[in-house]
C-alpha cells in the first residue's frame, strides 16, 4: 500500500493514541489530503522513528532535508482533526498495524512510502499464559515506583500547592492499569507505557511476536523498577509521562 510518510521522534505502537500539532506546510498539505472526502489512504499515514535528522524543516531552508528513519513503522489513522485560524492542525491519530517500509517518493508536497503489512503473531500459547500474569505484576510494581520517584522529586524544594498538583496528576496518570487479555494488545500497551529510550521502544516494536515482546518487556520492567528504586536513573518529571506533541 502507498501512504503518506510522517517521520517523528517517537515510536507508535498499534492500538495506542498519537496526538499531533501540525504546523509545517508539507504536513499541513498532508493533513488536508488525509481528512478530505474520499481520501485515497482512508485517513491513514505511516509513522516511523527518526534515526537521523529532524522532523521539522530547518529555519532558512526552502527545502526540507530528508531524514533517516527506521524501516519498520506503524500505520496511524486520523480519528479527530481540528484546523485553527492560522492554518495549524490538531490531530488525534491511533496506531493500526505494523508495516515494513519500502521505497519513499519525495517528489510531491510530502513524502509517500510503499508499505507492507507485517504479520501479527502471538507465539507459543503456553508461554503467553505464563507471561501475562508475570508482566502484570511487574507493571504494577513499575508504575508504583515511577509514581513514588516523581512525587519525591516534586517534594524537594516544592511548595505544598505544587506537590498536591503533581500528586493529583500522578494519581490520574498512573492509576492501576489492567492489561488486555489479548497478548498482542497487552504487548503494545506496555511498549507505549514504558519510559525508556526510543531505540529500545523501536526494538520492541520490531520483535516478531507477542511472546517475544512480552518477555523483553518483562525484563525491562524489572530492570527499570530496580534502577528507579535505587535512584540510578535521572529523575522523571510529571511532564515526562505525557504523550509527545509533534
Amino acid at each position: 500500500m502507498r501512504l503518506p510518510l510522517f517521520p517523528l521522534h517517537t515510536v507508535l505502537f498499534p492500538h495506542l493514541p498519537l496526538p499531533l500539532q501540525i504546523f509545517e506546510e508539507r504536513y499541513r498539505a498532508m493533513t488536508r489530503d488525509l481528512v478530505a472526502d474520499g481520501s485515497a489512504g482512508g485517513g491513514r499515514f505511516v509513522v516511523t522513528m527518526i534515526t537521523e535528522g529532524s522532523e521539522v524543516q530547518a529555519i532558512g531552508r526552502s527545502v526540507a532535508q530528508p531524514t533517516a528513519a527506521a524501516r519498520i513503522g506503524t500505520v496511524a489513522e486520523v480519528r479527530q482533526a481540528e484546523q485553527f485560524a492560522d492554518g495549524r492542525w490538531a490531530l488525534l491519530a491511533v496506531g493500526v498495524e505494523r508495516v515494513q517500509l519500502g521505497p519513499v517518493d519525495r517528489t510531491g508536497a510530502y513524502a509517500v512510502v510503499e508499505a507492507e503489512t507485517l504479520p501479527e503473531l502471538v507465539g507459543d500459547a503456553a508461554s503467553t499464559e505464563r507471561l501475562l500474569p508475570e508482566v502484570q505484576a511487574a507493571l504494577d510494581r513499575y508504575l508504583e515506583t515511577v509514581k513514588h520517584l516523581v512525587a519525591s522529586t516534586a517534594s524537594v524544594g516544592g511548595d505544598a500547592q505544587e506537590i498536591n498538583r503533581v500528586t493529583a496528576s500522578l494519581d490520574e496518570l498512573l492509576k492501576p492499569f489492567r492489561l488486555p487479555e489479548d497478548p498482542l494488545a497487552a504487548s503494545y500497551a506496555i511498549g507505549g507505557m514504558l519510559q525508556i529510550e526510543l531505540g529500545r521502544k523501536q526494538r520492541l516494536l520490531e520483535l516478531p511476536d507477542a511472546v517475544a515482546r512480552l518477555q523483553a518487556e518483562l525484563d525491562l520492567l524489572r530492570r527499570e523498577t530496580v534502577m528507579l528504586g535505587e535512584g540510578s536513573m535521572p529523575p522523571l518529571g510529571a511532564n515526562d509521562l505525557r504523550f509527545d506533541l509533534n
Side-chain angles (χ1 to χ4, degrees):
M1 56 184 161
R2 184 177 169 88
L3 294 172
L5 177 63
F6 199 165
L8 292 168
H9 286 294
T10 194
V11 177
L12 176 64
F13 291 86
H15 311 306
L16 299 189
L18 177 67
L20 293 167
Q21 293 282 347
I22 307 296
F23 54 88
E24 193 175 340
E25 182 51 45
R26 56 179 165 162
Y27 294 124
R28 291 186 188 185
M30 181 191 78
T31 301
R32 288 192 293 270
D33 289 347
L34 287 172
V35 302
D37 291 339
S39 168
R44 295 185 172 191
F45 59 101
V46 175
V47 172
T48 185
M49 185 194 78
I50 292 173
T51 57
E52 183 179 347
S54 173
E55 64 197 42
V56 180
Q57 181 175 322
I59 296 175
R61 287 186 182 273
S62 59
V63 178
Q65 293 296 106
T67 59
R71 303 311 299 170
I72 291 180
T74 301
V75 173
E77 182 177 273
V78 176
R79 298 292 174 84
Q80 296 179 22
E82 179 182 3
Q83 187 173 26
F84 301 108
D86 62 3
R88 290 179 300 114
W89 289 83
L91 299 182
L92 178 61
V94 174
V96 177
E97 60 184 358
R98 299 182 308 142
V99 288
Q100 175 84 44
L101 276 63
V104 178
D105 179 1
R106 302 183 187 277
T107 60
Y110 48 84
V112 177
V113 66
E114 294 286 346
E116 180 180 352
T117 300
L118 291 172
E120 294 285 23
L121 305 175
V122 172
D124 179 65
S127 297
T128 300
E129 293 181 6
R130 172 185 60 83
L131 277 170
L132 280 174
E134 292 184 34
V135 172
Q136 180 68 67
L139 177 63
D140 293 342
R141 290 191 294 271
Y142 171 75
L143 292 177
E144 279 299 318
T145 303
V146 171
K147 181 177 178 179
H148 175 75
L149 179 62
V150 178
S152 298
T153 302
S155 67
V156 177
D159 58 33
Q161 184 175 0
E162 174 65 12
I163 293 171
N164 289 337
R165 185 191 69 79
V166 170
T167 300
S169 176
L170 289 173
D171 286 340
E172 177 61 27
L173 285 168
L174 299 177
K175 56 189 176 184
F177 180 81
R178 181 58 50 185
L179 289 172
E181 294 182 3
D182 176 6
L184 276 166
S187 73
Y188 291 140
I190 297 169
M193 295 174 72
L194 273 166
Q195 298 295 307
I196 55 176
E197 304 96 320
L198 288 180
R200 289 181 184 270
K201 281 182 176 278
Q202 180 66 29
R203 287 193 288 275
L204 291 175
L205 180 71
E206 294 180 2
L207 288 171
D209 57 52
V211 168
R213 195 172 298 111
L214 287 168
Q215 183 61 64
E217 289 165 344
L218 178 60
D219 295 341
L220 281 168
L221 285 167
R222 288 171 172 171
R223 170 187 175 273
E224 298 296 303
T225 298
V226 170
M227 294 185 71
L228 288 169
E230 294 176 346
S232 302
M233 300 177 69
L236 295 173
N239 289 339
D240 295 322
L241 303 173
R242 298 174 183 168
F243 291 112
D244 291 330
L245 295 180
N246 297 282

